Amino acid sequence: MKKGFFIFLFGMFSVFTIVAQETVVKGSVKDAVTDEPIPDVTITVEETGQTETTDSEGQFKFATPVPLGEQMLKIEKIGFLTKRYPIVVNEGRTVDIQDMTLEVDRGSQEDLFTITLSEDELSDDDAGSDNISGLLSASRDVFQRTAAFEFSSSFFRVRGLDSDNGTVLINGIEMNKFDTGRPQWGNWGGLNDVVRNQEFTAGLAPSAYNFGGILGTTNINTKASNYREGGRVTYSSSNRSYTNRLMASYASGLMKDGWAYTIMAGRRWGNEGFQDGTLYDANSFFASIEKKINDNHSLNFTSIYAPNRRGRSSANTQEVYDLKGIKYNEFWGYLDGKKRNSRVREVIEPILMLNHTWDISSKTTLNTNVAYQFGQRGSSRIDNASGANPSPAYYQNLPSFYLADDDGPDFAGAYGSEQEFLNDGQLNWNNLFIANDSRNLSGNTAAYALYEDRTDDKTLTVNSIFNTELNENIILNAGVNYRRLRSDNFAEIIDLLGSTVGASNVDAFSQNQFDLLNPNRIAQEGDKFRYHFKIDANELSGFAQAQFKYNKVDFYLAGSLTKTDYQREGVFLNENQVLRNAAGEITLDNSSGKGDKLDFTGIGAKAGFTYKISGKHLIDVNGGYITQAPTIRNTYTNSRESHDYVGVFQGQQLGNIELTEEKISSADISYIFRSSIVKARLTGYYTKIEDANEVSFYFTQGSTTGFIQETVANANKKHVGAELGIEAQITPTIKLKGAASVGQFTYDNNPFVYVTSTSEDFIDTDVDGNDINRSGEIYETSLKDYKVAGGPQRAYSVGFEYRDPDYWWFGATANFFSNAYVDISPLARSNKFYQDEDGLPFADYDPEVARELLRQEKFDDYMVINLVGGKSWKIGKNFVGFFASVGNLLDKQYRTGGFEQGRTADYRAIRDDRSNPKRVFGSKYWYGRGANYFVNVYYRF
């Protein structure tokens, strides 16, 4: 008994001795000028490649033992000059290196990239490619930086996914829109100096703020005390989106009385960017005020106001580009000697935010946030009530129309239209005024009017985010979030173009009333017309997550639950959406009042681990399954007119089509190598999206003619590929870098497509004259294995950076792109393609010809070379900096995207069009910018 007791005591003593003699390497990093702690600094043991990252207090501690003896630590963070610190590690001793310092890198290119991308190529929320904005953070991953800085001009999509698969937060408040699921970066455009504090988690990796999507989470921190004390004034010039930009910002830092504030104002403007007639007019204002109540509580108020107006540019057929070049834009024309664009997008959506931070203890925090966003988004266009199509690029105005004459090519007409288009080819505003003046004399309503499609949203968000460090190995994150949207949607007359009578509120196609509650109404400037409806949406969500960190393996588990509901309320009673009996009495109103309340339940589960083979070699694995509500845009098939939603038409279920949650399965595995010279990551990924919906609108002609709404329902998509990023610091001043993305993004099933329309071709009546069905036809498709369009599916980059100790730097990259495809017409891949008007196959249908007609167009491969460089000077305690970039140095012309016109969607129509000397209804394309530049000068004090 006594012997056992002594053995036990000896064992306990040995354990305590081992613990007491544990070898520990820890320390902290702070700013050399301000003495403030610096978070997210990477600390690397050069010999082994072991890395750790400083926390919010600038502290770090190596979780795995550092080899004994002399070692060299590399201290680095984007925006700061890298430093190396020698240390000596002795067995059983603690190496505590407090207050290591980093100096701001005055030649940092971080400023350039944020400035040129986050508000330029990536601010168009309709594009779906602005997910790359989420990579504009302090990430050290070379692939992510390359995707953001080099691939964006080709509208490259990370893993082929739209930006609605990622989440953008400001102070923990979600900024993704209900209607599209995408963040609208333009809401804080031009505020570069105050949105730099970004924390980005890639893919399914855990975020401390929310569950996130499969493209990751970006949180922008705007707490006033987080900004470096001082000011900055910047002037920029470019030929990309705007011509001039002026910004000024100032931050007080945390003052002795516990207050801090940061303010900023900016303006961007220009008569046109790279595309002709694309005006830019934007102002930006920001204010953040924080009060640190005590050591445990602080309040921060943030306000953002960034109104902006941008002239839009058109997609064009290749015939148009061949005649007018890649800068051509059909939307503008001269009026009173000035260029006026008919398609202007305006966004005015202020954000107000109140954030409370409660440091419950040194390891536990609770952040409670309230935000309110309101305002309007609008896009203008010309209403053509009864006149000729005013578009200068309308197909009947182009040579191809005359060459396709049924009586044989009209060469004289083709030459005349070609010369007229070459000599002018722009919107003739004067003709619109003349047409309206003529109708004024007879007392008729306007032939043309300029109106705006408006969305006025009010969004309230309340959430609370809890984080606690249970011990040095386990971190728990949890949060609950509620969002409510009230969305008012309508068309509003903004210019009657000389009409003194007003605009008719009657559908020019069907001659039906847009609002039977106010029949034959004549709309004046400022009046709503065409459509008016409201959408209510509610979302309640919660997530929980546990992160575990150990010597050889880190892993995490997370889950989420989301309840979402939508409800449409029609203000107008659209005559296109009613059924009548033989007596003319309305038997179905599918437009006004409240529609069905649509409920969705989303669940999410994800897990992953990082296995540390050694300090240099790691394996990272992530997997997740998410179900989520479809966006409002992809829920209602024609929300402007009716209550109809996917799978339900005029209150009736459509076959096997059903509205359900989208289902996403995703997994990736990465091999990571890190040494003092080389950093590399190779990732393979697989993502499958099921039950996705796509809604579009266009005019079609052929066996069926009319303006239709097309819905692809319950489509599946598969995204498979690999990513590689590698960089080598071959000398202290020269870095080589490379990146590659190889993917295949395809439809993975044959979904249904159904069309609805107000055309008489779609109206069925019984023998007594009663309406049976207003419209609606379902077709089976053959979409499986067609490519999902959306930028190049393969992209490669090689380049170098040179940084001189005298604070000047230069870089160049060559970027290669391939496997980009046109967006196909689903209706042309349905059984409607080969059906005649009687529903039977065309008598002259040839399967071999059909196969060639339906082959998906693949764009040409291309290469783009970019240059970037800069210099900075220190003047006393202040700094002056200059940098510039040249994009597409060799002025390469390349297509970034395009779509097949759905106007011809059957075998005979497409075959006959293809046989013409020039296609009348060929695909429409977008081209990337030719050679372009950006120049920036700043003064920091």
Side-chain angles (χ1 to χ4, degrees), residues 803-818:
R803 288 182 172 274
D804 193 90
D806 196 27
Y807 300 109
W808 66 269
W809 52 271
F810 173 78
T813 56
N815 305 285
F816 307 85
F817 303 94
S818 67

Side-chain angles (χ1 to χ4, degrees), residues 12-171:
M12 291 296 295
F13 176 77
S14 299
V15 170
F16 286 130
T17 301
I18 292 172
V19 172
Q21 294 179 345
E22 181 183 5
T23 303
V24 176
V25 176
K26 64 180 183 178
S28 67
V29 183
K30 66 180 183 180
D31 189 291
V33 176
T34 66
D35 257 3
E36 293 294 321
I38 307 177
D40 299 321
V41 177
T42 301
I43 318 295
T44 305
V45 180
E46 291 193 350
E47 179 181 339
T48 63
Q50 293 167 269
T51 63
E52 289 295 340
T53 304
T54 58
D55 60 18
S56 59
E57 300 299 322
Q59 299 285 333
F60 71 92
K61 177 182 177 182
F62 279 91
T64 55
V66 175
L68 303 179
E70 295 182 357
Q71 300 292 338
M72 184 66 72
L73 298 184
K74 179 190 281 189
I75 319 298
E76 57 185 341
K77 180 179 180 178
I78 285 183
F80 293 84
L81 294 172
T82 299
K83 281 192 176 181
R84 300 167 76 238
Y85 280 82
I87 62 172
V88 178
V89 182
N90 296 312
E91 186 174 3
R93 298 293 182 89
T94 296
V95 180
D96 190 356
I97 322 166
Q98 292 295 320
D99 297 337
M100 292 187 292
T101 61
L102 285 182
E103 297 178 3
V104 172
D105 181 0
R106 293 186 274 123
S108 172
Q109 49 185 305
E110 178 191 5
D111 293 339
L112 172 63
F113 291 139
T114 303
I115 288 168
T116 59
L117 292 177
S118 65
E119 65 189 16
D120 192 5
E121 286 96 343
L122 309 175
S123 60
D124 185 355
D125 63 308
D126 291 333
S129 62
D130 52 0
N131 54 302
I132 297 176
S133 292
L135 302 180
L136 300 176
S137 63
S139 167
R140 296 298 294 177
D141 186 283
V142 64
F143 174 81
Q144 294 165 355
R145 296 202 311 273
T146 303
F149 307 150
E150 306 295 342
F151 295 165
S152 60
S153 61
S154 291
F155 293 90
F156 171 83
R157 299 183 185 183
V158 176
R159 302 186 181 182
L161 298 169
D162 278 355
S163 57
D164 56 352
N165 290 286
T167 306
V168 174
L169 314 172
I170 298 181
N171 297 335

